[in-house]
Amino acid sequence: MKPSPIPKPSKTQSAPPAVHLQTIGPEEAGQRLDNYLLRWAKGVPKSHVYRIIRSGEVRVNKKRAEPTTRLVEGDVVRVPPVRIAEPAQMAAVNTAQTKSRAQGYSDKMPILFEDEALLIVNKPAGLAVHGGSGIALGVIETLRITRPELKFLELVHRLDRDTSGVLLLAKKRSALVELHRQIREGQTDKRYYLLAHGEIEQGAQVMQLKYPLHKYLLANGERRVRVDPDGLPSHTALRVTQVFKREGAAITLAEAQLKTGRTHQIRVHLLKLGHAILGDDKYGFEDQDKLLKSKRLYLHAHLAGFTHPRTGEKMRIESPLPSEFAAMMKTFDVADVSE
């Protein structure tokens, strides 16, 4: 009896994963290695991407690299065999339902400024800047779905999920790299309005909050930040705008200017000051928030100042105070800050 012939692979079967060698071009240059891989390896869990980097299976120019390694044009990145999503699979992700959700988010995210290099939006509270940890759609995913003509789109910076306001995105790699340089060298101006519990007493001088901050994880893996002498230097300039009082209670409208950009910096600095931000479910005063019926985090990125990465023009992008702020303040009487 003749042996049965070895069956040929079906044309519908996907080929086994193979080693990939990726050469970095001008549009990819300047990215961190982890961010580059997370975008390239569609459908691969984030934890797996970090594991193959840390294990040394990912190489840059035949050498081990860290997740934070900045890629340079001409670098050759070796990626071990991983199963990335096929085009058909990725198309399935963009179902009619997903597109509908993305369009709904986009409709609530007004464009404050746009040209060939930048897209600046007014992010609503409650929308994360990117997906992950059970969040399917953030700002970046929403805009990539609703603006498919944009071949390159990356976040210039981040805002907490519950913080609203001015959010910068770059439409060109060169714009992203230049704005990151301005941020690193302290050449940008980022200001926030906030409503804090209690009356913050302040004279004519702007209050300088310089509390070092340390990041840590709770037992459930949630990220938190605390003031710690061994933490990273952090600096917030705080200016009281108005104080509102009623029946022995008070809230303060203030403007915070970031001198450094640490995670949850303003929120933790205000807590350390003894005046947590209204509606802060991580660092706030839960009982007082219930009494005030706070329905959101009262923190809003109202101004971003920077130099345009292409034209050199001084830019000042502003976002109006959200209606929830005005509604909360109307339930109080205005007090004279100079009292």
Side-chain angles (χ1 to χ4, degrees):
M1 180 182 293
K2 293 183 179 180
S4 300
I6 299 173
K8 294 182 179 179
S10 168
K11 290 184 179 179
T12 59
Q13 285 182 315
S14 58
V19 170
H20 294 271
L21 295 177
Q22 304 287 330
T23 301
I24 301 302
E27 285 300 304
E28 292 89 15
Q31 288 189 76
R32 284 171 38 143
L33 177 61
D34 55 354
N35 291 335
Y36 170 76
L37 289 177
L38 287 168
R39 189 167 187 189
W40 176 78
K42 298 292 187 183
V44 178
K46 185 182 292 187
S47 59
H48 184 69
V49 170
Y50 281 100
R51 185 186 67 76
I52 61 176
I53 295 175
R54 293 194 174 102
S55 67
E57 295 175 77
V58 173
R59 300 272 172 155
V60 178
N61 301 328
K62 300 183 179 180
K63 297 179 181 178
R64 294 177 72 112
E66 297 295 323
T68 56
T69 298
R70 293 282 174 185
L71 298 173
V72 177
E73 185 177 356
D75 280 349
V76 177
V77 180
R78 176 199 183 274
V79 186
V82 292
R83 290 195 178 275
I84 62 175
E86 300 293 334
Q89 291 175 295
M90 291 308 299
V93 173
N94 287 341
T95 60
Q97 184 179 9
T98 302
K99 289 181 178 179
S100 176
R101 284 180 58 207
Q103 189 59 57
Y105 291 154
S106 181
D107 291 342
K108 298 175 183 177
M109 194 162 45
I111 295 174
L112 299 173
F113 176 85
E114 183 174 10
D115 65 5
E116 75 284 352
L118 299 175
L119 174 60
I120 305 177
V121 299
N122 191 12
K123 186 188 88 65
L127 180 61
V129 294
H130 56 73
S133 302
I135 300 171
L137 289 177
V139 171
I140 190 68
E141 292 84 10
T142 292
L143 291 172
R144 285 173 180 163
I145 290 172
T146 58
R147 299 288 300 275
E149 76 278 7
L150 300 179
K151 302 306 180 185
F152 179 91
L153 189 66
E154 294 289 349
L155 294 160
V156 173
H157 63 105
R158 287 166 169 75
L159 293 176
D160 291 344
R161 180 178 183 177
D162 295 324
T163 301
S164 56
V166 182
L167 181 67
L168 278 64
L169 299 99
K171 294 163 65 175
K172 300 288 184 183
R173 168 63 55 188
S174 57
L176 181 67
V177 171
E178 169 57 18
L179 287 172
H180 280 173
R181 182 196 67 77
Q182 291 182 33
I183 292 172
R184 285 196 309 271
E185 297 180 7
Q187 297 175 4
T188 59
D189 187 4
K190 295 168 68 178
R191 303 189 190 195
Y192 297 70
Y193 279 134
L194 62 93
L195 282 176
H197 286 285
E199 179 179 356
I200 301 177
E201 296 183 2
Q202 178 178 290
Q205 298 297 317
V206 173
M207 190 180 300
Q208 305 297 331
L209 307 179
K210 297 181 179 180
Y211 304 121
L213 300 179
H214 170 71
K215 284 194 288 189
Y216 66 99
L217 296 178
L218 298 177
N220 62 3
E222 254 193 274
R223 181 178 57 180
R224 287 289 190 277
V225 178
R226 64 171 178 258
V227 173
D228 189 305
D230 296 324
L232 295 172
S234 305
H235 183 185
T236 304
L238 189 73
R239 179 179 62 84
V240 170
T241 301
Q242 284 182 313
V243 174
F244 301 84
K245 295 182 178 181
R246 76 176 187 202
E247 300 171 356
I251 60 173
T252 299
L253 174 66
E255 182 187 55
Q257 182 181 29
L258 286 181
K259 300 296 185 179
T260 56
R262 310 300 180 198
T263 300
H264 298 169
Q265 177 176 314
I266 298 173
R267 299 164 68 175
V268 180
H269 278 183
L270 266 292
L271 175 63
K272 176 64 176 177
L273 192 63
H275 298 275
I277 297 175
L278 271 65
D280 193 334
D281 62 357
K282 289 182 171 64
Y283 308 101
F285 302 152
E286 184 178 358
D287 292 342
Q288 294 182 41
D289 281 330
K290 285 182 179 178
L291 289 174
L292 295 177
K293 299 180 181 179
S294 301
K295 296 181 179 179
R296 59 158 290 175
L297 174 69
Y298 285 81
L299 182 62
H300 177 71
H302 81 93
L303 184 148
F306 57 93
T307 301
H308 194 285
R310 288 205 162 186
T311 67
E313 179 185 357
K314 295 294 183 182
M315 305 289 293
R316 184 183 173 94
I317 307 297
E318 298 185 62
S319 168
L321 201 63
S323 59
E324 301 97 325
F325 278 66
M328 178 61 72
M329 292 184 291
K330 281 182 180 178
T331 66
F332 287 78
D333 298 320
V334 179
D336 187 346
V337 177
S338 63
E339 288 180 347

